[in-house]
Amino acid sequence: MTETLIRQAVRTMPVVAVRAGDPVTTLGITTQLRRCGGITVADAGSVRADIVVVAFGTVDDGAIERVRRLRESGSRVVAVVPAVDARALLPAVAA
Protein backbone atom coordinates (compact mmCIF):
# COMPACT_ATOMS: atom_id res chain seq x y z
CA MET A 1 0.00 0.00 0.00
CA THR A 2 2.79 2.46 0.85
CA GLU A 3 4.43 1.81 -2.53
CA THR A 4 1.13 2.56 -4.29
CA LEU A 5 0.76 5.86 -2.41
CA ILE A 6 4.30 6.86 -3.33
CA ARG A 7 3.65 6.10 -7.01
CA GLN A 8 0.45 8.17 -6.95
CA ALA A 9 2.24 11.10 -5.29
CA VAL A 10 5.05 11.01 -7.85
CA ARG A 11 2.52 11.06 -10.71
CA THR A 12 0.73 14.11 -9.32
CA MET A 13 3.88 16.19 -8.82
CA PRO A 14 4.57 18.51 -11.75
CA VAL A 15 7.55 17.61 -13.89
CA VAL A 16 9.98 20.52 -14.26
CA ALA A 17 12.62 20.68 -16.98
CA VAL A 18 15.52 23.13 -17.17
CA ARG A 19 16.80 24.64 -20.41
CA ALA A 20 19.77 27.00 -20.49
CA GLY A 21 22.43 28.02 -22.95
CA ASP A 22 25.29 26.47 -21.00
CA PRO A 23 25.78 23.39 -18.85
CA VAL A 24 26.89 25.30 -15.73
CA THR A 25 23.66 27.31 -15.59
CA THR A 26 21.61 24.19 -16.30
CA LEU A 27 23.33 22.29 -13.51
CA GLY A 28 22.97 25.16 -11.04
CA ILE A 29 19.25 25.62 -11.62
CA THR A 30 18.65 21.86 -11.65
CA THR A 31 20.51 21.43 -8.35
CA GLN A 32 18.45 24.17 -6.70
CA LEU A 33 15.18 22.72 -7.98
CA ARG A 34 16.03 19.22 -6.75
CA ARG A 35 16.17 20.63 -3.22
CA CYS A 36 12.53 21.69 -3.52
CA GLY A 37 9.73 19.40 -2.52
CA GLY A 38 6.56 18.84 -4.49
CA ILE A 39 8.15 18.68 -7.94
CA THR A 40 9.93 16.13 -10.07
CA VAL A 41 12.94 17.48 -11.95
CA ALA A 42 13.21 15.95 -15.42
CA ASP A 43 16.45 14.36 -16.54
CA ALA A 44 18.55 16.31 -19.05
CA GLY A 45 17.21 15.82 -22.54
CA SER A 46 13.70 14.99 -21.37
CA VAL A 47 11.21 16.02 -24.02
CA ARG A 48 8.03 16.49 -21.98
CA ALA A 49 7.53 18.61 -18.87
CA ASP A 50 4.65 20.42 -17.20
CA ILE A 51 6.87 23.41 -16.44
CA VAL A 52 10.04 24.48 -18.24
CA VAL A 53 12.52 26.83 -16.58
CA VAL A 54 14.50 28.62 -19.28
CA ALA A 55 17.53 30.80 -18.62
CA PHE A 56 18.52 33.48 -21.11
CA GLY A 57 21.32 36.02 -21.08
CA THR A 58 19.03 38.55 -22.75
CA VAL A 59 15.43 38.70 -23.85
CA ASP A 60 15.71 38.86 -27.62
CA ASP A 61 13.70 37.58 -30.57
CA GLY A 62 15.24 34.11 -30.24
CA ALA A 63 14.35 33.87 -26.55
CA ILE A 64 10.79 35.04 -27.21
CA GLU A 65 10.37 32.49 -29.98
CA ARG A 66 11.67 29.70 -27.75
CA VAL A 67 9.18 30.64 -25.01
CA ARG A 68 6.38 30.74 -27.59
CA ARG A 69 7.23 27.24 -28.87
CA LEU A 70 7.37 25.82 -25.36
CA ARG A 71 3.97 27.31 -24.50
CA GLU A 72 2.48 26.01 -27.75
CA SER A 73 3.66 22.51 -26.78
CA GLY A 74 1.56 22.80 -23.62
CA SER A 75 4.25 23.62 -21.06
CA ARG A 76 4.12 26.45 -18.59
CA VAL A 77 7.29 28.53 -18.78
CA VAL A 78 9.38 30.33 -16.17
CA ALA A 79 12.04 32.60 -17.66
CA VAL A 80 15.17 33.45 -15.70
CA VAL A 81 17.08 36.48 -17.02
CA PRO A 82 19.72 38.72 -15.43
CA ALA A 83 18.04 41.93 -16.63
CA VAL A 84 14.98 42.87 -18.63
CA ASP A 85 14.94 45.64 -21.19
CA ALA A 86 11.63 47.52 -20.84
CA ARG A 87 11.10 47.35 -24.64
CA ALA A 88 11.49 43.57 -24.59
CA LEU A 89 9.20 43.01 -21.62
CA LEU A 90 5.84 43.24 -23.38
CA PRO A 91 6.70 40.82 -26.25
CA ALA A 92 8.21 38.40 -23.72
CA VAL A 93 5.09 38.42 -21.54
CA ALA A 94 2.83 38.09 -24.60
CA ALA A 95 4.75 34.99 -25.73
Side-chain angles (χ1 to χ4, degrees):
M1 178 156 166
T2 303
E3 187 175 319
T4 303
L5 292 174
I6 291 171
R7 284 187 188 150
Q8 289 173 345
V10 168
R11 275 190 294 232
T12 60
M13 289 190 288
V15 176
V16 179
V18 177
R19 304 288 185 262
D22 66 276
V24 173
T25 302
T26 302
L27 181 61
I29 295 171
T30 300
T31 300
Q32 291 299 316
L33 289 173
R34 285 202 171 119
R35 294 179 180 170
C36 298
I39 62 171
T40 300
V41 180
D43 293 329
S46 180
V47 176
R48 189 77 180 117
D50 301 306
I51 302 165
V52 180
V53 177
V54 291
F56 301 113
T58 59
V59 178
D60 56 15
D61 290 341
I64 291 169
E65 182 57 32
R66 188 167 183 189
V67 169
R68 186 174 289 122
R69 280 183 303 190
L70 287 166
R71 289 188 43 82
E72 287 172 355
S73 73
S75 295
R76 290 175 281 173
V77 179
V78 175
V80 178
V81 294
V84 177
D85 177 354
R87 291 172 286 153
L89 184 58
L90 186 58
V93 171

